[in-house]
Each structure stands twice: as structure tokens, then as C-alpha cells.
Amino acid sequence: MGFDTAQPHCPTIGESLEHHHLKHALAHAARTAGWHATVEAPGDGWRADVLATAPDGRRLALEAQLSPITTADIEMRTRRYAAAGVDSCWVTTKRAPWLLAVPSLQVRQDEAGWTVVDGHRRLAHPPLASLRAVACEGYHDRDPTSGRGQRWQQERPDIPLPWKTSWSVLQTHAQYNHREDLSQYGDGSGAIPCAAEFLCGIRWWRPRREPQLAHVLAAVLHGTVVALELAAPYHDTSSSCPDPIVWTITADLGRAATLTALAYGWQLFHRFENPACGCGDSSDSYALTTDFAPVAGFCLCSRCDADLIALHQVLAPDAHQTPARYGPLLVDTPLADLTPSQRQALNRPTESVRVRQVDPRDIRRIARWFTGLGRV
């Protein structure tokens, strides 16, 4: 006797062949990375196309989203996953209006398999833009920028943010002196010194080469690729989406952290102690911190961070109220040695600046490396 094997409650009824192939490609990538993958995994008010679970219990929902959905709906479903302690990545083959509004990837399939078209970014070269002179003003215990993460935390402060921001990048990478009392700066948790405006923008771009989807997902699962919101001072040069959420490598976050501190108005000082860097050079070291209460900072090496140190020598305002354990690095900024395009990018008049004897070729080379302007 024949019978119909299709059941009304089957979640795959009406599923397209493309959706079926993409869903199982996501599950295969998770299993290849050493995670357990469950297809059509149910939860409390949600059902994931693929639920990847790590040996340590971390969970990531991989959603093949090919049917139309509004940005508001996909943001709501992302919050629902986050409330359940589940990270999420939305995967589509279309240029969907919600792409980059949540942690997402645009992919396509060819003879070589599935590749990533959009959703991934790298720190640009040169990374800085719109340079100006600013002074650090005080501590803030909340991110002063406006973006998706800020709106999320205002609307649902009880749900952890499932992506990183420039604020959390600084919190993660800065070396804090926990002996200092931060109670005078709000509640003391996550207080970060910053200026009223940003000294510069930090640019990110989409690489031209399309990586394999399996490689990107393996890096996401192993934690070497993370979701990052490109709100100010970060700037996405490859899309017009406001405050996009992209996937980037953690190595770029380490480099971006010192640039972020620079953008927040932190200053550079000589260190009286010269601890050995990982490169083995202990001849000269610097501290990127604030001049009024150095409870957080970065240790920079004269070899590994030579370009950043030299750029700060060009940009930094006059040092004053120097911390006891630091020495001032410079007093004047030789902006007169820059080209007209570089001076316009720096957005600072040159008439009132006392010029030091500095080789103009060095400054132009440094400014061009960081801003892409000027001639060598």
C-alpha cells in the first residue's frame, strides 16, 4: 500500500534546492571544524537551520536566509538568539537589504564550491583618514558613539551584544592598571578615556579575493574571525551601509586597537623603563596612554610600531601634566613640512605652529603611509 511520507510538521517542506544545499554546506563546515552540527535544531522560540555546538558548549546558529525578510525582523531574531546565549551568522546569496545590519555573509556557488562575496573586511592600508588635532578630556563609562550596538544596549541592556565595537576593542587590548581607583569615573567598570571628537577615522575594506565559505566559517568557529561593528571612528570604504557589522580577523583587531586609542585622543610618552618587546628589541619603548590619569595604555616598541610613533610625533598636541613615570615625547608639530593635501587632511592651521628641524621626506612618507596623501 502506498502512503505519503511528507508530514505537515516537517520543517523542510517547501524548501528550495539552493537552500537545502547551502544549509548542508554550513553543517559540513561546522563538522569539519570539529563542532557538532544539528540541522533544523529547535529552541525556545527559535529554530536554527544549523546549530553548531563547540566542545566547550559555545553555540552558533548558522542561518541560510534566502527568502525575503525585513531588517527589523532579522534584528529581532538575532536578539532572540543572543538572549538564549547563541551567536548567529546569517548567510544569503542575494544583496539583501539586511546584509551587514546583523552578523552576516553574502555567498555564491561556483564549480569550486561556496565562496564569500561580502561581509568580510580587513584593516585598510593606509588605515587612517580625516586626521585632526584633539585633546583627551576625561573618562567615560559608556561608548560615546552612536551605532547599532549603542542602540541595542539602550533598548535591551539585559542581552549581551553579539559583536565587537571600537569601545570593546579598546577594553580587550588595553593594559589596565587595576591599582587605580576608577570609582570617580562612573561605576569604574569599562571606563575609557576619550576626547570630545575623534582624531582620525580608521578605514576597513573588503578584500578582492573571495575566500572559501568553509574557511571563513572554520575561522569564525575557532575564534580567529569575529564580528565587528564599523561605527565611528571605524569607517567601511567598501559599502554605504551605516554602521555595518562585518567579520574580520583578530590580528587586525590588535593593530586597530592602538589606532583606536590614537583616535580617542590618547597621547604618546617615553617610558623610563624599557621592557623587552616580543621582537627582542628593548632599546626604546613608549606608552600610548592619557596624560592626566594613566590607568590604561599600550606599550609600543620603537621597531614594531615605528610608523605609528613617528606619526604621533607629527600629530600630538603639546604635552602637559606629564605622569610621574612617563617623560614627554615632543612639544611642537612640524606641520609646515607637509604637502598642501596633507595639511588639509590634518585640518589644522600651520601659521601658529613652531617648526622643528625634521626631514620633510620622513614626515611625508609617514603621512602618505597612513593617509594615502602627498608625495614621497
Side-chain angles (χ1 to χ4, degrees):
M1 179 184 297
F3 58 90
D4 186 4
T5 58
Q7 301 179 20
H9 66 275
C10 178
T12 60
I13 291 180
E15 180 182 42
S16 68
L17 186 61
E18 183 183 32
H19 185 274
H20 177 80
H21 287 165
L22 177 55
K23 182 173 64 177
H24 284 275
L26 297 175
H28 178 72
R31 291 166 183 152
T32 303
W35 287 39
H36 176 75
T38 304
V39 178
E40 298 295 341
D44 185 11
W46 51 267
R47 177 182 291 274
D49 284 340
V50 177
L51 182 63
T53 306
D56 61 2
R58 178 190 165 201
R59 295 183 296 173
L60 174 67
L62 299 171
E63 288 283 358
Q65 188 63 45
L66 304 185
S67 58
I69 185 174
T70 66
T71 301
D73 284 343
I74 207 166
E75 287 176 341
M76 179 189 66
R77 293 176 64 182
T78 301
R79 287 194 187 98
R80 191 176 300 161
Y81 278 127
V86 180
D87 294 330
S88 58
C89 179
W90 301 83
V91 185
T92 182
T93 57
K94 304 174 176 62
R95 189 68 192 175
W98 49 262
L99 185 69
L100 307 182
V102 292
S104 52
L105 292 170
Q106 182 185 359
V107 300
R108 68 182 181 91
Q109 187 179 27
D110 55 20
E111 298 80 5
W114 293 94
T115 60
V116 175
V117 177
D118 199 1
H120 59 305
R121 295 290 187 273
R122 292 292 309 272
L123 188 63
H125 180 82
L128 301 187
S130 303
L131 295 167
R132 62 184 66 85
V134 300
C136 200
E137 294 186 341
Y139 277 87
H140 297 262
D141 54 11
R142 277 195 172 276
D143 189 343
T145 64
S146 60
R148 300 180 191 275
Q150 187 75 346
R151 293 192 296 271
W152 173 302
Q153 292 172 338
Q154 289 173 351
E155 296 171 3
R156 295 302 304 269
D158 57 317
I159 302 177
L161 192 66
W163 58 79
K164 294 184 177 297
T165 65
S166 62
W167 194 263
S168 61
V169 167
L170 270 186
Q171 286 180 312
T172 301
H173 291 84
Q175 301 169 1
Y176 283 83
N177 181 359
H178 297 286
R179 294 173 297 179
E180 298 284 351
D181 180 16
L182 292 180
S183 60
Q184 56 183 314
Y185 313 111
D187 61 3
S189 60
I192 290 179
C194 60
E197 60 178 336
F198 294 113
L199 181 144
C200 59
I202 301 171
R203 298 185 289 202
W204 302 76
W205 70 297
R206 182 181 65 215
R208 295 178 181 177
R209 188 181 71 86
E210 297 181 3
Q212 292 292 317
L213 174 61
H215 296 166
V216 174
L217 290 181
V220 170
L221 295 171
H222 288 297
T224 57
V225 165
V226 297
L228 173 69
E229 180 183 353
L230 299 185
Y234 297 158
H235 172 66
D236 183 16
T237 63
S238 301
S239 80
S240 58
C241 177
D243 305 328
I245 300 168
V246 301
W247 296 94
T248 190
I249 61 174
T250 54
D252 275 353
L253 289 186
R255 178 61 172 167
T258 54
L259 299 176
T260 305
L262 183 74
Y264 273 74
W266 296 19
Q267 298 181 21
L268 196 68
F269 301 94
H270 272 303
R271 286 178 60 93
F272 293 147
E273 317 90 23
N274 292 323
C277 176
C279 68
D281 183 13
S282 60
S283 58
D284 209 1
S285 62
Y286 300 83
L288 184 62
T289 181
T290 56
D291 62 346
F292 57 90
V295 299
F298 293 88
C299 292
L300 303 185
C301 168
S302 57
R303 176 187 297 177
C304 302
D305 304 288
D307 284 326
L308 180 60
I309 292 170
L311 178 69
H312 203 285
Q313 291 178 341
V314 176
L315 298 177
D318 294 353
H320 60 88
Q321 299 179 357
T322 304
R325 63 177 177 271
Y326 299 123
L329 184 63
L330 64 118
V331 176
D332 303 317
T333 51
L335 299 184
D337 288 328
L338 300 180
T339 66
S341 296
Q342 290 169 355
R343 288 199 297 271
Q344 183 178 4
L346 295 176
N347 192 25
R348 188 177 178 187
T350 60
E351 292 78 14
S352 61
V353 178
R354 299 189 303 274
V355 181
R356 281 186 174 184
Q357 295 298 319
V358 180
D359 189 342
R361 293 172 298 177
D362 291 340
I363 298 175
R364 289 172 184 167
R365 175 184 61 81
I366 295 162
R368 182 176 180 180
W369 192 93
F370 278 97
T371 66
L373 298 171
R375 300 179 300 276
V376 177

